[in-house]
Coordinates of all heavy atoms in Angstrom, one line a residue:
M1195 N -33.4 -2.1 18.2 CA -33.8 -3.2 17.3 C -34.0 -2.6 15.9 O -34.2 -1.5 15.8 CB -35.0 -3.9 17.9 CG -36.3 -3.0 17.6 SD -37.8 -3.9 18.2 CE -38.9 -2.6 18.3
L1196 N -33.8 -3.5 15.0 CA -34.0 -3.1 13.6 C -35.4 -3.5 13.1 O -35.8 -4.7 13.3 CB -33.0 -3.8 12.7 CG -33.1 -3.5 11.1 CD1 -32.9 -2.0 10.9 CD2 -32.2 -4.3 10.4
L1197 N -36.1 -2.5 12.7 CA -37.5 -2.8 12.1 C -37.4 -2.5 10.6 O -37.0 -1.4 10.3 CB -38.4 -1.8 12.9 CG -39.9 -2.1 12.5 CD1 -40.4 -3.4 13.0 CD2 -40.8 -0.9 13.2
L1198 N -37.8 -3.5 9.9 CA -37.9 -3.4 8.4 C -39.3 -3.1 8.1 O -40.2 -3.9 8.5 CB -37.4 -4.7 7.7 CG -37.3 -4.6 6.2 CD1 -36.2 -3.7 5.7 CD2 -37.2 -6.0 5.7
I1199 N -39.6 -2.1 7.4 CA -40.9 -1.7 7.0 C -41.1 -1.7 5.6 O -40.3 -1.1 4.8 CB -41.3 -0.3 7.5 CG1 -41.1 -0.2 9.1 CG2 -42.7 0.2 7.1 CD1 -41.1 1.2 9.6
T1200 N -42.1 -2.4 5.0 CA -42.5 -2.3 3.7 C -43.9 -1.9 3.5 O -44.7 -2.1 4.4 CB -42.3 -3.7 3.0 OG1 -43.3 -4.6 3.5 CG2 -40.9 -4.3 3.2
Y1201 N -44.2 -1.2 2.4 CA -45.5 -0.8 2.2 C -45.9 -0.8 0.7 O -45.1 -0.7 -0.1 CB -45.8 0.6 2.8 CG -44.8 1.7 2.3 CD1 -45.1 2.4 1.1 CD2 -43.7 2.0 3.0 CE1 -44.2 3.4 0.7 CE2 -42.8 3.0 2.6 CZ -43.1 3.7 1.4 OH -42.2 4.6 1.0
D1202 N -47.2 -0.9 0.5 CA -47.8 -0.8 -0.8 C -49.0 0.0 -0.8 O -50.0 -0.4 -0.1 CB -48.1 -2.3 -1.3 CG -48.5 -2.3 -2.8 OD1 -48.3 -1.3 -3.5 OD2 -49.1 -3.3 -3.2
V1203 N -49.0 1.2 -1.3 CA -50.1 2.1 -1.3 C -50.7 2.2 -2.7 O -50.0 2.4 -3.7 CB -49.7 3.5 -0.8 CG1 -50.8 4.5 -0.8 CG2 -49.1 3.4 0.6
N1204 N -52.0 2.0 -2.8 CA -52.7 2.1 -4.0 C -52.6 3.6 -4.5 O -53.2 4.5 -3.8 CB -54.1 1.7 -3.9 CG -54.9 1.7 -5.2 OD1 -54.9 2.7 -5.9 ND2 -55.6 0.6 -5.4
T1205 N -52.1 3.8 -5.6 CA -51.9 5.2 -6.1 C -52.8 5.5 -7.4 O -52.4 6.3 -8.2 CB -50.4 5.5 -6.5 OG1 -50.0 4.5 -7.4 CG2 -49.5 5.5 -5.3
E1206 N -53.9 4.8 -7.5 CA -54.8 5.0 -8.7 C -55.5 6.3 -8.6 O -56.1 6.8 -9.5 CB -55.7 3.8 -8.8 CG -55.0 2.5 -9.2 CD -56.0 1.4 -9.2 OE1 -57.1 1.5 -8.8 OE2 -55.5 0.3 -9.6
T1207 N -55.6 6.9 -7.4 CA -56.3 8.1 -7.2 C -55.3 9.2 -6.6 O -54.2 8.9 -6.1 CB -57.5 8.0 -6.1 OG1 -56.9 7.6 -4.9 CG2 -58.4 6.8 -6.6
D1208 N -55.7 10.4 -6.6 CA -54.9 11.5 -6.1 C -54.7 11.3 -4.5 O -53.7 11.6 -4.0 CB -55.5 12.9 -6.4 CG -55.3 13.3 -7.8 OD1 -54.5 12.7 -8.5 OD2 -56.1 14.2 -8.3
S1209 N -55.8 10.9 -3.9 CA -55.7 10.6 -2.4 C -54.7 9.5 -2.1 O -54.0 9.6 -1.1 CB -57.1 10.3 -1.9 OG -57.6 9.1 -2.3
G1210 N -54.6 8.5 -3.0 CA -53.6 7.4 -2.8 C -52.2 8.0 -3.0 O -51.3 7.6 -2.3
K1211 N -52.0 8.9 -4.0 CA -50.7 9.4 -4.2 C -50.3 10.3 -3.0 O -49.1 10.2 -2.6 CB -50.7 10.3 -5.4 CG -50.9 9.4 -6.7 CD -51.0 10.3 -8.0 CE -51.3 9.3 -9.1 NZ -51.6 10.1 -10.3
R1212 N -51.2 11.0 -2.4 CA -51.0 11.8 -1.2 C -50.6 10.9 0.0 O -49.7 11.1 0.7 CB -52.1 12.7 -0.8 CG -52.2 13.9 -1.6 CD -53.2 14.9 -1.1 NE -54.6 14.4 -1.1 CZ -55.4 14.4 -2.1 NH1 -55.0 14.9 -3.3 NH2 -56.7 13.9 -2.0
R1213 N -51.4 9.7 0.1 CA -51.1 8.8 1.2 C -49.6 8.2 1.0 O -48.9 8.1 2.0 CB -52.0 7.6 1.2 CG -53.4 8.0 1.7 CD -54.2 6.7 2.1 NE -54.3 5.7 1.0 CZ -55.1 5.7 0.0 NH1 -55.9 6.7 -0.2 NH2 -55.1 4.7 -0.9
L1214 N -49.2 7.9 -0.2 CA -47.9 7.3 -0.5 C -46.8 8.3 0.0 O -45.9 7.9 0.6 CB -47.8 7.0 -2.0 CG -46.4 6.5 -2.4 CD1 -46.1 5.2 -1.8 CD2 -46.3 6.4 -3.9
R1215 N -47.0 9.5 -0.4 CA -46.0 10.6 0.0 C -46.0 10.7 1.5 O -44.9 10.8 2.0 CB -46.3 11.9 -0.6 CG -46.0 12.0 -2.1 CD -46.1 13.4 -2.7 NE -47.4 14.0 -2.6 CZ -48.4 13.8 -3.5 NH1 -48.2 13.1 -4.6 NH2 -49.5 14.4 -3.3
K1216 N -47.1 10.7 2.2 CA -47.1 10.9 3.6 C -46.5 9.7 4.3 O -45.7 9.8 5.3 CB -48.6 11.0 4.1 CG -49.1 12.4 3.7 CD -50.6 12.5 4.2 CE -51.2 13.8 3.8 NZ -52.6 13.9 4.3
V1217 N -46.8 8.4 3.8 CA -46.2 7.3 4.5 C -44.6 7.3 4.3 O -43.9 7.1 5.3 CB -46.7 5.9 3.8 CG1 -45.9 4.8 4.1 CG2 -48.2 5.8 4.2
A1218 N -44.1 7.7 3.1 CA -42.7 7.8 2.9 C -42.1 8.8 3.8 O -41.0 8.6 4.4 CB -42.4 8.1 1.4
K1219 N -42.8 10.0 3.9 CA -42.2 11.1 4.7 C -42.1 10.6 6.2 O -41.1 10.9 6.8 CB -43.1 12.3 4.6 CG -42.5 13.5 5.3 CD -43.4 14.7 5.0 CE -42.8 15.9 5.7 NZ -43.6 17.1 5.4
V1220 N -43.1 10.0 6.7 CA -43.1 9.5 8.1 C -41.9 8.6 8.3 O -41.1 8.6 9.2 CB -44.4 8.9 8.6 CG1 -44.3 8.2 9.8 CG2 -45.5 10.0 8.6
C1221 N -41.8 7.6 7.3 CA -40.7 6.6 7.5 C -39.3 7.2 7.4 O -38.4 6.8 8.1 CB -40.9 5.6 6.3 SG -42.2 4.4 6.5
M1222 N -39.2 8.3 6.6 CA -37.9 8.9 6.5 C -37.5 9.6 7.8 O -36.3 9.8 8.0 CB -37.9 9.9 5.3 CG -37.8 9.2 4.0 SD -37.4 10.3 2.6 CE -38.8 11.4 2.4
N1223 N -38.5 9.9 8.6 CA -38.2 10.6 9.9 C -37.7 9.6 10.9 O -37.2 9.9 12.0 CB -39.4 11.3 10.5 CG -39.7 12.5 9.7 OD1 -38.9 13.2 9.1 ND2 -41.0 12.9 9.6
Y1224 N -37.8 8.3 10.6 CA -37.4 7.2 11.6 C -36.3 6.3 11.1 O -35.7 5.6 11.9 CB -38.7 6.3 11.9 CG -39.7 7.0 12.7 CD1 -40.6 7.9 12.2 CD2 -39.7 6.8 14.1 CE1 -41.6 8.5 13.0 CE2 -40.6 7.4 14.9 CZ -41.6 8.2 14.3 OH -42.5 8.9 15.2
G1225 N -36.0 6.3 9.8 CA -35.0 5.4 9.3 C -34.4 5.7 8.0 O -34.6 6.8 7.4
Q1226 N -33.9 4.8 7.3 CA -33.2 4.9 6.0 C -34.0 4.1 5.0 O -34.3 3.0 5.1 CB -31.8 4.3 6.1 CG -31.1 4.2 4.9 CD -29.8 3.4 4.9 OE1 -29.2 3.1 6.0 NE2 -29.2 3.0 3.8
R1227 N -34.3 4.8 3.8 CA -34.9 4.2 2.7 C -33.8 3.3 2.0 O -32.8 3.7 1.7 CB -35.4 5.2 1.7 CG -36.0 4.6 0.5 CD -36.5 5.5 -0.5 NE -37.9 5.5 -0.3 CZ -38.7 6.6 -0.5 NH1 -38.2 7.8 -0.9 NH2 -40.0 6.5 -0.4
V1228 N -34.2 2.0 1.9 CA -33.2 1.1 1.3 C -33.7 0.7 -0.2 O -32.9 0.1 -0.9 CB -32.9 -0.1 2.1 CG1 -32.1 0.4 3.4 CG2 -34.1 -0.9 2.5
Q1229 N -35.0 0.8 -0.4 CA -35.6 0.5 -1.7 C -36.8 1.4 -1.8 O -37.2 2.1 -0.8 CB -36.0 -0.9 -1.9 CG -34.7 -1.8 -2.0 CD -35.1 -3.3 -2.4 OE1 -36.2 -3.6 -2.5 NE2 -34.1 -4.0 -2.5
H1230 N -37.5 1.5 -2.9 CA -38.6 2.5 -3.0 C -39.6 2.5 -1.9 O -40.0 3.5 -1.4 CB -39.3 2.3 -4.4 CG -38.4 2.7 -5.5 ND1 -38.0 4.0 -5.8 CD2 -37.8 2.0 -6.5 CE1 -37.3 4.1 -6.8 NE2 -37.1 2.9 -7.3
S1231 N -40.1 1.3 -1.5 CA -41.1 1.2 -0.5 C -40.6 0.3 0.7 O -41.3 -0.4 1.3 CB -42.4 0.6 -1.1 OG -42.9 1.5 -2.1
V1232 N -39.3 0.5 1.0 CA -38.7 -0.3 2.1 C -37.8 0.6 2.9 O -36.9 1.3 2.3 CB -37.9 -1.5 1.5 CG1 -37.3 -2.4 2.6 CG2 -38.8 -2.4 0.6
F1233 N -38.0 0.5 4.2 CA -37.2 1.3 5.1 C -36.6 0.4 6.2 O -37.3 -0.5 6.7 CB -38.0 2.4 5.8 CG -38.3 3.6 4.9 CD1 -39.2 3.6 4.0 CD2 -37.5 4.7 5.0 CE1 -39.5 4.7 3.1 CE2 -37.7 5.8 4.2 CZ -38.7 5.8 3.3
E1234 N -35.4 0.7 6.6 CA -34.7 0.1 7.8 C -34.7 1.1 8.9 O -34.2 2.2 8.6 CB -33.3 -0.4 7.5 CG -33.3 -1.5 6.5 CD -31.8 -1.9 6.2 OE1 -30.9 -1.1 6.5 OE2 -31.7 -2.9 5.5
C1235 N -35.2 0.8 10.0 CA -35.3 1.8 11.2 C -34.7 1.1 12.4 O -35.2 0.0 12.8 CB -36.8 2.2 11.4 SG -37.6 2.8 10.0
V1236 N -33.7 1.7 13.0 CA -33.2 1.2 14.3 C -34.0 2.0 15.4 O -33.8 3.3 15.5 CB -31.7 1.5 14.4 CG1 -31.2 1.0 15.8 CG2 -31.0 0.6 13.3
L1237 N -34.8 1.3 16.1 CA -35.7 2.0 17.1 C -35.8 1.2 18.4 O -35.6 0.0 18.4 CB -37.1 2.1 16.5 CG -37.3 2.7 15.2 CD1 -38.7 2.4 14.6 CD2 -37.0 4.2 15.2
D1238 N -36.1 1.9 19.5 CA -36.5 1.1 20.7 C -38.0 0.8 20.6 O -38.6 1.2 19.6 CB -36.1 2.0 21.9 CG -36.9 3.3 22.0 OD1 -38.0 3.4 21.4 OD2 -36.4 4.2 22.7
A1239 N -38.5 0.0 21.5 CA -39.9 -0.5 21.4 C -40.8 0.6 21.4 O -41.8 0.6 20.7 CB -40.1 -1.5 22.6
A1240 N -40.6 1.7 22.2 CA -41.6 2.8 22.2 C -41.7 3.5 20.9 O -42.7 3.9 20.4 CB -41.2 3.7 23.4
R1241 N -40.5 3.8 20.3 CA -40.5 4.5 19.0 C -41.1 3.6 17.9 O -41.8 4.1 17.0 CB -39.1 4.9 18.6 CG -38.5 5.9 19.6 CD -38.6 7.3 19.1 NE -37.9 7.5 17.8 CZ -38.1 8.6 17.1 NH1 -39.0 9.5 17.5 NH2 -37.4 8.8 16.0
A1242 N -40.9 2.3 18.0 CA -41.5 1.4 17.0 C -43.0 1.4 17.1 O -43.7 1.5 16.1 CB -41.0 0.0 17.3
R1243 N -43.5 1.4 18.3 CA -45.0 1.5 18.5 C -45.6 2.8 18.0 O -46.6 2.9 17.4 CB -45.4 1.3 20.0 CG -45.3 -0.1 20.4 CD -45.9 -0.2 21.9 NE -45.3 0.6 22.8 CZ -44.3 0.3 23.6 NH1 -43.6 -0.8 23.4 NH2 -43.8 1.2 24.5
E1244 N -44.8 3.9 18.3 CA -45.2 5.2 17.8 C -45.3 5.3 16.3 O -46.2 5.8 15.7 CB -44.1 6.3 18.3 CG -44.3 7.7 17.9 CD -43.1 8.5 18.4 OE1 -43.1 8.7 19.6 OE2 -42.3 9.0 17.5
L1245 N -44.2 4.8 15.6 CA -44.2 4.7 14.1 C -45.3 3.9 13.6 O -46.0 4.3 12.6 CB -42.8 4.2 13.7 CG -42.7 3.9 12.2 CD1 -42.9 5.3 11.4 CD2 -41.2 3.4 11.9
K1246 N -45.5 2.7 14.1 CA -46.6 1.9 13.6 C -48.0 2.6 13.7 O -48.8 2.5 12.8 CB -46.7 0.5 14.4 CG -45.5 -0.4 14.0 CD -45.6 -1.7 14.9 CE -44.5 -2.6 14.7 NZ -44.6 -3.8 15.5
A1247 N -48.2 3.3 14.8 CA -49.5 4.0 15.0 C -49.6 5.1 14.0 O -50.7 5.2 13.5 CB -49.5 4.5 16.5
K1248 N -48.6 5.8 13.8 CA -48.7 6.9 12.8 C -49.0 6.4 11.4 O -49.8 6.9 10.7 CB -47.3 7.7 12.7 CG -47.1 8.6 13.9 CD -45.9 9.4 13.8 CE -45.6 10.3 15.0 NZ -44.4 11.1 14.8
L1249 N -48.3 5.3 11.0 CA -48.5 4.7 9.7 C -49.9 4.1 9.5 O -50.5 4.3 8.5 CB -47.4 3.7 9.4 CG -46.0 4.3 9.2 CD1 -45.0 3.1 9.1 CD2 -45.9 5.2 8.1
E1250 N -50.3 3.5 10.6 CA -51.7 2.9 10.6 C -52.8 3.9 10.3 O -53.7 3.6 9.6 CB -51.9 2.1 11.8 CG -53.1 1.2 11.7 CD -53.3 0.3 12.9 OE1 -52.3 0.2 13.8 OE2 -54.4 -0.2 13.1
K1251 N -52.6 5.1 10.9 CA -53.6 6.2 10.7 C -53.5 6.7 9.3 O -54.5 7.3 8.8 CB -53.3 7.3 11.7 CG -53.6 7.0 13.1 CD -53.3 8.1 14.1 CE -53.6 7.7 15.5 NZ -53.1 8.8 16.4
L1252 N -52.4 6.6 8.6 CA -52.3 7.2 7.2 C -52.9 6.3 6.1 O -53.4 6.9 5.2 CB -50.8 7.5 6.9 CG -50.1 8.6 7.7 CD1 -48.7 8.6 7.3 CD2 -50.8 9.9 7.4
I1253 N -52.8 5.1 6.3 CA -53.2 4.2 5.2 C -54.7 4.0 5.1 O -55.4 4.1 6.1 CB -52.5 2.8 5.2 CG1 -52.9 2.0 6.3 CG2 -50.9 3.0 5.1 CD1 -52.5 0.5 6.3
D1254 N -55.1 3.5 3.9 CA -56.5 3.0 3.7 C -56.4 1.5 3.8 O -55.9 0.9 2.9 CB -57.0 3.5 2.3 CG -58.4 3.0 2.0 OD1 -58.9 2.0 2.6 OD2 -59.0 3.7 1.2
K1255 N -56.9 0.9 4.9 CA -56.7 -0.5 5.2 C -57.5 -1.4 4.0 O -57.2 -2.5 4.0 CB -57.3 -0.9 6.5 CG -56.3 -0.2 7.6 CD -56.8 -0.6 9.0 CE -56.0 0.2 10.0 NZ -56.5 0.0 11.3
E1256 N -58.4 -0.8 3.4 CA -59.0 -1.5 2.2 C -58.2 -1.6 1.0 O -58.4 -2.5 0.1 CB -60.4 -0.8 1.9 CG -61.3 -0.8 3.1 CD -61.7 -2.2 3.5 OE1 -62.1 -3.0 2.7 OE2 -61.8 -2.4 4.8
K1257 N -57.3 -0.7 0.8 CA -56.5 -0.5 -0.4 C -55.0 -0.7 -0.3 O -54.3 -1.0 -1.3 CB -56.8 0.8 -1.1 CG -58.3 1.0 -1.5 CD -58.5 2.4 -2.1 CE -59.9 2.6 -2.3 NZ -60.2 3.9 -2.8
D1258 N -54.4 -0.4 0.9 CA -53.0 -0.3 1.1 C -52.6 -1.4 2.0 O -53.4 -2.1 2.7 CB -52.7 1.0 1.7 CG -53.2 2.2 1.0 OD1 -53.4 2.1 -0.3 OD2 -53.5 3.3 1.6
S1259 N -51.2 -1.6 2.1 CA -50.6 -2.6 2.9 C -49.4 -2.1 3.6 O -48.6 -1.5 3.0 CB -50.4 -3.8 2.0 OG -49.6 -4.8 2.7
L1260 N -49.2 -2.5 4.9 CA -48.0 -2.3 5.6 C -47.5 -3.6 6.2 O -48.3 -4.5 6.6 CB -48.3 -1.4 6.9 CG -48.5 0.1 6.7 CD1 -49.0 0.7 7.9 CD2 -47.3 0.8 6.1
R1261 N -46.2 -3.8 6.1 CA -45.6 -5.0 6.7 C -44.4 -4.5 7.6 O -43.6 -3.7 7.2 CB -45.1 -6.0 5.7 CG -46.2 -6.7 5.0 CD -45.6 -7.7 4.0 NE -46.7 -8.3 3.3 CZ -47.1 -9.5 3.6 NH1 -46.6 -10.2 4.5 NH2 -48.1 -10.0 2.9
F1262 N -44.3 -5.1 8.8 CA -43.3 -4.8 9.8 C -42.5 -6.1 10.0 O -43.1 -7.1 10.5 CB -43.9 -4.2 11.0 CG -44.6 -3.0 10.8 CD1 -46.0 -3.0 10.7 CD2 -44.0 -1.7 10.9 CE1 -46.7 -1.8 10.5 CE2 -44.7 -0.5 10.6 CZ -46.1 -0.6 10.5
Y1263 N -41.2 -6.1 9.9 CA -40.3 -7.2 10.2 C -39.4 -6.8 11.3 O -38.5 -5.9 11.1 CB -39.6 -7.6 8.9 CG -40.5 -8.1 7.8 CD1 -40.8 -7.1 6.9 CD2 -40.8 -9.4 7.7 CE1 -41.7 -7.5 5.8 CE2 -41.7 -9.8 6.6 CZ -42.0 -8.8 5.7 OH -42.9 -9.2 4.6
N1264 N -39.5 -7.4 12.5 CA -38.7 -7.0 13.6 C -37.5 -8.0 13.6 O -37.6 -9.2 13.8 CB -39.5 -7.2 14.9 CG -38.6 -6.8 16.1 OD1 -37.4 -6.6 16.0 ND2 -39.3 -6.7 17.2
L1265 N -36.3 -7.4 13.3 CA -35.1 -8.2 13.1 C -34.3 -8.2 14.4 O -33.2 -8.8 14.5 CB -34.2 -7.7 12.0 CG -34.9 -7.9 10.6 CD1 -34.0 -7.3 9.5 CD2 -35.3 -9.2 10.3
G1266 N -34.8 -7.5 15.5 CA -34.2 -7.6 16.8 C -32.9 -6.7 16.9 O -32.6 -5.9 16.0
N1267 N -32.2 -6.9 18.0 CA -31.0 -6.2 18.3 C -29.8 -6.8 17.6 O -28.8 -6.1 17.5 CB -30.8 -6.1 19.9 CG -31.9 -5.2 20.5 OD1 -32.3 -4.2 19.9 ND2 -32.3 -5.7 21.6
N1268 N -29.8 -8.0 17.3 CA -28.6 -8.7 16.7 C -28.8 -8.7 15.2 O -28.5 -9.7 14.5 CB -28.4 -10.1 17.3 CG -28.1 -10.0 18.7 OD1 -27.4 -9.1 19.2 ND2 -28.7 -10.9 19.5
Y1269 N -29.3 -7.7 14.6 CA -29.7 -7.7 13.2 C -28.5 -7.6 12.2 O -28.6 -8.1 11.1 CB -30.6 -6.4 12.9 CG -29.9 -5.1 13.1 CD1 -29.2 -4.5 12.1 CD2 -30.0 -4.5 14.4 CE1 -28.5 -3.3 12.4 CE2 -29.3 -3.3 14.6 CZ -28.6 -2.7 13.5 OH -28.0 -1.5 13.8
K1270 N -27.3 -7.2 12.7 CA -26.2 -7.1 11.7 C -25.8 -8.4 11.1 O -25.4 -8.4 10.0 CB -25.0 -6.4 12.5 CG -25.2 -5.0 12.8 CD -24.1 -4.4 13.5 CE -24.5 -2.9 13.8 NZ -23.4 -2.2 14.5
S1271 N -26.0 -9.5 11.8 CA -25.7 -10.8 11.2 C -26.9 -11.3 10.3 O -26.7 -12.3 9.7 CB -25.4 -11.8 12.3 OG -26.5 -12.0 13.2
K1272 N -28.0 -10.6 10.3 CA -29.2 -11.1 9.6 C -29.4 -10.3 8.3 O -30.3 -10.8 7.6 CB -30.4 -11.0 10.5 CG -30.4 -11.8 11.8 CD -31.6 -11.5 12.7 CE -31.5 -12.2 14.0 NZ -32.5 -11.9 14.9
V1273 N -28.7 -9.3 8.1 CA -28.9 -8.5 6.9 C -27.6 -8.7 6.0 O -26.5 -8.4 6.4 CB -29.0 -7.0 7.3 CG1 -29.2 -6.2 6.0 CG2 -30.3 -6.8 8.2
E1274 N -27.9 -9.0 4.7 CA -26.8 -9.1 3.8 C -27.2 -8.2 2.6 O -28.4 -8.2 2.2 CB -26.6 -10.5 3.3 CG -25.6 -10.7 2.3 CD -25.4 -12.1 1.9 OE1 -26.1 -13.0 2.4 OE2 -24.6 -12.3 0.9
H1275 N -26.3 -7.4 2.2 CA -26.6 -6.5 1.0 C -25.7 -6.7 -0.1 O -24.5 -6.9 0.0 CB -26.4 -5.0 1.5 CG -26.6 -4.0 0.4 ND1 -25.6 -3.5 -0.3 CD2 -27.7 -3.5 -0.2 CE1 -26.0 -2.7 -1.3 NE2 -27.3 -2.7 -1.2
I1276 N -26.3 -6.8 -1.3 CA -25.5 -6.9 -2.6 C -26.0 -5.9 -3.6 O -27.2 -5.8 -3.7 CB -25.7 -8.4 -3.2 CG1 -25.2 -9.4 -2.2 CG2 -25.0 -8.5 -4.5 CD1 -25.5 -10.8 -2.5
G1277 N -25.1 -5.2 -4.2 CA -25.5 -4.3 -5.3 C -25.5 -2.8 -4.9 O -24.8 -2.3 -3.9
A1278 N -26.3 -2.0 -5.7 CA -26.3 -0.6 -5.5 C -26.9 -0.1 -4.2 O -27.5 -0.9 -3.5 CB -27.1 0.0 -6.7
K1279 N -26.7 1.2 -3.9 CA -27.3 1.8 -2.7 C -26.6 1.2 -1.5 O -27.3 0.6 -0.7 CB -28.7 1.8 -2.6 CG -29.5 2.5 -3.7 CD -30.9 2.5 -3.4 CE -31.7 3.2 -4.5 NZ -33.2 3.2 -4.3
P1280 N -25.3 1.4 -1.3 CA -24.7 0.8 -0.1 C -25.3 1.4 1.1 O -25.6 2.6 1.2 CB -23.2 1.1 -0.3 CG -23.2 2.3 -1.2 CD -24.4 2.1 -2.1
S1281 N -25.4 0.6 2.2 CA -26.0 1.1 3.4 C -24.9 1.8 4.2 O -23.7 1.6 4.0 CB -26.6 0.0 4.2 OG -25.7 -1.0 4.5
F1282 N -25.4 2.4 5.3 CA -24.4 3.1 6.2 C -24.7 2.6 7.6 O -25.7 1.9 7.8 CB -24.5 4.6 6.1 CG -25.8 5.1 6.6 CD1 -26.1 5.5 7.9 CD2 -26.8 5.3 5.6 CE1 -27.4 6.0 8.2 CE2 -28.1 5.8 6.0 CZ -28.3 6.2 7.3
D1283 N -23.8 2.8 8.5 CA -23.9 2.4 9.9 C -25.0 3.3 10.6 O -24.7 4.4 10.9 CB -22.6 2.5 10.6 CG -22.7 2.0 12.1 OD1 -23.8 1.5 12.5 OD2 -21.7 2.1 12.8
M1284 N -26.2 2.8 10.7 CA -27.3 3.6 11.3 C -27.1 3.9 12.7 O -27.8 4.8 13.2 CB -28.6 2.9 11.1 CG -29.0 2.7 9.6 SD -30.6 2.1 9.3 CE -30.6 0.5 10.0
E1285 N -26.2 3.3 13.4 CA -26.0 3.6 14.8 C -24.7 4.4 15.0 O -24.3 4.8 16.1 CB -25.9 2.4 15.7 CG -27.2 1.5 15.6 CD -27.1 0.4 16.5 OE1 -27.1 0.5 17.7 OE2 -27.2 -0.8 15.9
G1286 N -23.9 4.6 13.9 CA -22.7 5.4 13.9 C -22.9 6.8 13.9 O -24.0 7.3 13.9
V1287 N -21.8 7.6 13.8 CA -21.8 9.0 13.8 C -22.2 9.5 12.4 O -21.7 9.1 11.4 CB -20.4 9.6 14.2 CG1 -20.3 11.1 14.1 CG2 -20.0 9.1 15.6
L1288 N -23.1 10.4 12.4 CA -23.6 11.1 11.2 C -22.7 12.2 10.8 O -22.5 13.1 11.7 CB -25.0 11.6 11.3 CG -25.6 12.3 10.1 CD1 -25.7 11.3 8.9 CD2 -27.0 12.8 10.4
T1289 N -22.1 12.2 9.7 CA -21.2 13.3 9.2 C -21.8 14.0 8.0 O -22.4 13.4 7.2 CB -19.8 12.8 8.9 OG1 -19.9 11.8 7.9 CG2 -19.1 12.2 10.1
L1290 N -21.7 15.3 8.0 CA -22.2 16.1 6.8 C -21.2 16.6 6.0 O -20.1 16.9 6.3 CB -23.1 17.2 7.4 CG -24.3 16.8 8.2 CD1 -25.0 18.0 8.8 CD2 -25.3 16.0 7.4

């Protein structure tokens, strides 16, 4: 399934800047960054729960925000992209 993750981390303090870097790093381990604070992750239900739990532990719930949008398994017909940063086939073969 495709899970779209967005986040807003308060960076007014050094601890907030550290949280922002940690949230981004965790998200990069699970999916593709499509905008500064937006990631697309193709995950099964267990990995999605794992990712949510990790992110929830990182944020300050009084200052930060996480949003998860589950686009399901038929996500290809639900996502339209226009402009810079073309996406790649997240389920395809990775070539270096």
